[in-house]
PDB file of all heavy atoms in Angstrom:
ATOM      1  N   ASP A1443     297.442-203.030 -31.689  1.00 94.00           N
ATOM      2  CA  ASP A1443     298.232-202.267 -32.658  1.00 94.00           C
ATOM      3  C   ASP A1443     297.373-201.947 -33.882  1.00 94.00           C
ATOM      4  O   ASP A1443     296.172-202.241 -33.909  1.00 94.00           O
ATOM      5  CB  ASP A1443     299.539-202.977 -33.005  1.00 94.00           C
ATOM      6  CG  ASP A1443     299.356-204.270 -33.777  1.00 94.00           C
ATOM      7  OD1 ASP A1443     298.242-204.559 -34.271  1.00 94.00           O
ATOM      8  OD2 ASP A1443     300.356-205.014 -33.909  1.00 94.00           O
ATOM      9  N   ASP A1444     297.981-201.378 -34.898  1.00 89.00           N
ATOM     10  CA  ASP A1444     297.249-200.962 -36.084  1.00 89.00           C
ATOM     11  C   ASP A1444     296.699-202.136 -36.894  1.00 89.00           C
ATOM     12  O   ASP A1444     295.808-201.958 -37.721  1.00 89.00           O
ATOM     13  CB  ASP A1444     298.133-200.081 -36.964  1.00 89.00           C
ATOM     14  CG  ASP A1444     298.531-198.796 -36.250  1.00 89.00           C
ATOM     15  OD1 ASP A1444     297.779-198.343 -35.364  1.00 89.00           O
ATOM     16  OD2 ASP A1444     299.604-198.252 -36.567  1.00 89.00           O
ATOM     17  N   GLN A1445     297.227-203.328 -36.651  1.00 91.00           N
ATOM     18  CA  GLN A1445     296.714-204.529 -37.309  1.00 91.00           C
ATOM     19  C   GLN A1445     295.745-205.280 -36.394  1.00 91.00           C
ATOM     20  O   GLN A1445     295.412-206.427 -36.641  1.00 91.00           O
ATOM     21  CB  GLN A1445     297.870-205.462 -37.710  1.00 91.00           C
ATOM     22  CG  GLN A1445     298.721-204.955 -38.857  1.00 91.00           C
ATOM     23  CD  GLN A1445     299.701-203.869 -38.433  1.00 91.00           C
ATOM     24  OE1 GLN A1445     300.271-203.927 -37.339  1.00 91.00           O
ATOM     25  NE2 GLN A1445     299.889-202.878 -39.274  1.00 91.00           N
ATOM     26  N   HIS A1446     295.326-204.620 -35.316  1.00 94.00           N
ATOM     27  CA  HIS A1446     294.376-205.170 -34.338  1.00 94.00           C
ATOM     28  C   HIS A1446     294.908-206.395 -33.607  1.00 94.00           C
ATOM     29  O   HIS A1446     294.147-207.270 -33.208  1.00 94.00           O
ATOM     30  CB  HIS A1446     293.016-205.463 -34.988  1.00 94.00           C
ATOM     31  CG  HIS A1446     292.428-204.254 -35.628  1.00 94.00           C
ATOM     32  ND1 HIS A1446     291.887-203.222 -34.909  1.00 94.00           N
ATOM     33  CD2 HIS A1446     292.329-203.898 -36.935  1.00 94.00           C
ATOM     34  CE1 HIS A1446     291.476-202.284 -35.728  1.00 94.00           C
ATOM     35  NE2 HIS A1446     291.730-202.660 -36.970  1.00 94.00           N
ATOM     36  N   MET A1447     296.213-206.446 -33.443  1.00 95.00           N
ATOM     37  CA  MET A1447     296.850-207.510 -32.673  1.00 95.00           C
ATOM     38  C   MET A1447     297.150-206.986 -31.271  1.00 95.00           C
ATOM     39  O   MET A1447     297.549-205.826 -31.113  1.00 95.00           O
ATOM     40  CB  MET A1447     298.160-207.950 -33.341  1.00 95.00           C
ATOM     41  CG  MET A1447     297.985-208.520 -34.738  1.00 95.00           C
ATOM     42  SD  MET A1447     296.965-209.999 -34.788  1.00 95.00           S
ATOM     43  CE  MET A1447     297.962-211.130 -33.865  1.00 95.00           C
ATOM     44  N   PRO A1448     296.943-207.813 -30.232  1.00 96.00           N
ATOM     45  CA  PRO A1448     297.213-207.356 -28.872  1.00 96.00           C
ATOM     46  C   PRO A1448     298.701-207.107 -28.638  1.00 96.00           C
ATOM     47  O   PRO A1448     299.545-207.867 -29.096  1.00 96.00           O
ATOM     48  CB  PRO A1448     296.708-208.498 -27.988  1.00 96.00           C
ATOM     49  CG  PRO A1448     296.526-209.661 -28.885  1.00 96.00           C
ATOM     50  CD  PRO A1448     296.448-209.174 -30.291  1.00 96.00           C
ATOM     51  N   VAL A1449     298.978-206.009 -27.945  1.00 97.00           N
ATOM     52  CA  VAL A1449     300.350-205.633 -27.605  1.00 97.00           C
ATOM     53  C   VAL A1449     300.401-205.341 -26.112  1.00 97.00           C
ATOM     54  O   VAL A1449     299.626-204.528 -25.606  1.00 97.00           O
ATOM     55  CB  VAL A1449     300.796-204.377 -28.391  1.00 97.00           C
ATOM     56  CG1 VAL A1449     302.176-203.917 -27.936  1.00 97.00           C
ATOM     57  CG2 VAL A1449     300.772-204.636 -29.887  1.00 97.00           C
ATOM     58  N   ASN A1450     301.286-206.023 -25.409  1.00 98.00           N
ATOM     59  CA  ASN A1450     301.502-205.766 -23.987  1.00 98.00           C
ATOM     60  C   ASN A1450     302.546-204.682 -23.835  1.00 98.00           C
ATOM     61  O   ASN A1450     303.586-204.716 -24.483  1.00 98.00           O
ATOM     62  CB  ASN A1450     301.968-207.026 -23.260  1.00 98.00           C
ATOM     63  CG  ASN A1450     300.896-208.089 -23.200  1.00 98.00           C
ATOM     64  OD1 ASN A1450     299.702-207.792 -23.180  1.00 98.00           O
ATOM     65  ND2 ASN A1450     301.307-209.326 -23.179  1.00 98.00           N
ATOM     66  N   ILE A1451     302.255-203.728 -22.954  1.00 98.00           N
ATOM     67  CA  ILE A1451     303.198-202.655 -22.655  1.00 98.00           C
ATOM     68  C   ILE A1451     303.501-202.734 -21.168  1.00 98.00           C
ATOM     69  O   ILE A1451     302.603-202.640 -20.341  1.00 98.00           O
ATOM     70  CB  ILE A1451     302.610-201.274 -23.028  1.00 98.00           C
ATOM     71  CG1 ILE A1451     302.218-201.246 -24.509  1.00 98.00           C
ATOM     72  CG2 ILE A1451     303.605-200.164 -22.685  1.00 98.00           C
ATOM     73  CD1 ILE A1451     301.484-199.993 -24.933  1.00 98.00           C
ATOM     74  N   GLU A1452     304.771-202.929 -20.848  1.00 98.00           N
ATOM     75  CA  GLU A1452     305.196-203.130 -19.472  1.00 98.00           C
ATOM     76  C   GLU A1452     306.159-202.036 -19.058  1.00 98.00           C
ATOM     77  O   GLU A1452     307.016-201.619 -19.835  1.00 98.00           O
ATOM     78  CB  GLU A1452     305.895-204.488 -19.390  1.00 98.00           C
ATOM     79  CG  GLU A1452     306.321-204.884 -18.005  1.00 98.00           C
ATOM     80  CD  GLU A1452     306.957-206.254 -18.017  1.00 98.00           C
ATOM     81  OE1 GLU A1452     306.347-207.222 -18.497  1.00 98.00           O
ATOM     82  OE2 GLU A1452     308.108-206.347 -17.529  1.00 98.00           O
TER      83      GLU A1452
END
Side-chain angles (χ1 to χ4, degrees):
D1443 68 12
D1444 297 333
Q1445 289 77 38
H1446 303 286
M1447 298 299 295
V1449 175
N1450 292 330
I1451 303 173
E1452 184 178 305

